Amino acid sequence: MIKKIMCFVVIGLILGTTTVMAGRSDREKAAIAAAEKWLRIVDKGNYMESWNESSEYFKQAVTQDQWEQALKAVREPLGKFISRKVKSATYTTSLPGAPDGQYVVIQFNTSFENKKSGIETVTPKMDNDGKWRVSGYYIK
């Protein structure tokens, strides 16, 4: 189950390793803002709300119950969120195993109470309504 959830974002790790130049595009800035807003929901432990705020693609891939169980298993052992900084952001229109669309693969250097140095990969996707919503999430 967790494997299925994380499978479509693992590619984000590969794509997200490229360091972004200083000037980010408007679409990258908007996707980062959407990712940070979504991450604040997750940081508060509101896992059901994070699922509700995710992209349609994400909701089709994972049920609300599966998502809540996966986040409890992955996030809760890390303890409280401490800090987060954007490491990279890469715009793409194609990801393996996902439909073509507009994506920004974002990596954050993140610190938690029980994991001082982690990397979160968050992949917002432009939904049909023109809003950036998270379609993938992975912690390393």
Side-chain angles (χ1 to χ4, degrees):
M1 168 176 56
I2 292 174
K3 199 182 254 188
K4 180 181 176 185
I5 294 168
M6 301 305 170
C7 180
F8 67 99
V9 294
V10 169
I11 287 303
L13 288 174
I14 296 167
L15 293 174
T17 58
T18 306
T19 304
V20 173
M21 302 259 180
R24 291 196 170 98
S25 71
D26 288 343
R27 65 182 163 218
E28 289 169 338
K29 289 176 186 174
I32 290 168
E36 290 174 334
K37 179 180 177 185
W38 184 88
L39 284 166
R40 284 190 294 275
I41 295 168
V42 172
D43 292 339
K44 292 177 184 174
N46 296 332
Y47 305 145
M48 282 196 247
E49 183 181 350
S50 73
W51 185 88
N52 287 328
E53 295 297 319
S54 297
S55 72
E56 289 305 314
Y57 173 70
F58 182 91
K59 291 176 189 176
Q60 291 172 7
V62 149
T63 69
Q64 198 173 34
D65 287 339
Q66 289 171 326
W67 180 241
E68 186 172 15
Q69 290 174 12
L71 275 185
K72 283 182 180 180
V74 172
R75 278 295 297 262
E76 290 183 2
L78 301 176
K80 291 182 182 180
F81 159 78
I82 305 292
S83 67
R84 177 179 291 120
K85 183 179 178 186
V86 176
K87 176 181 176 183
S88 65
T90 305
Y91 175 82
T92 187
T93 57
S94 179
L95 290 173
D100 287 348
Q102 295 185 63
Y103 298 89
V104 178
V105 180
I106 307 163
Q107 284 194 321
F108 294 91
N109 289 322
T110 307
S111 180
F112 297 96
E113 183 178 38
N114 300 324
K115 184 170 184 68
K116 300 301 178 203
S117 181
I119 297 176
E120 289 177 297
T121 302
V122 183
T123 307
K125 178 184 186 305
M126 177 68 72
D127 258 353
N128 291 334
D129 64 359
K131 293 184 180 179
W132 288 101
R133 291 194 176 85
V134 171
S135 66
Y137 177 64
Y138 181 81
I139 300 175
K140 182 179 175 184

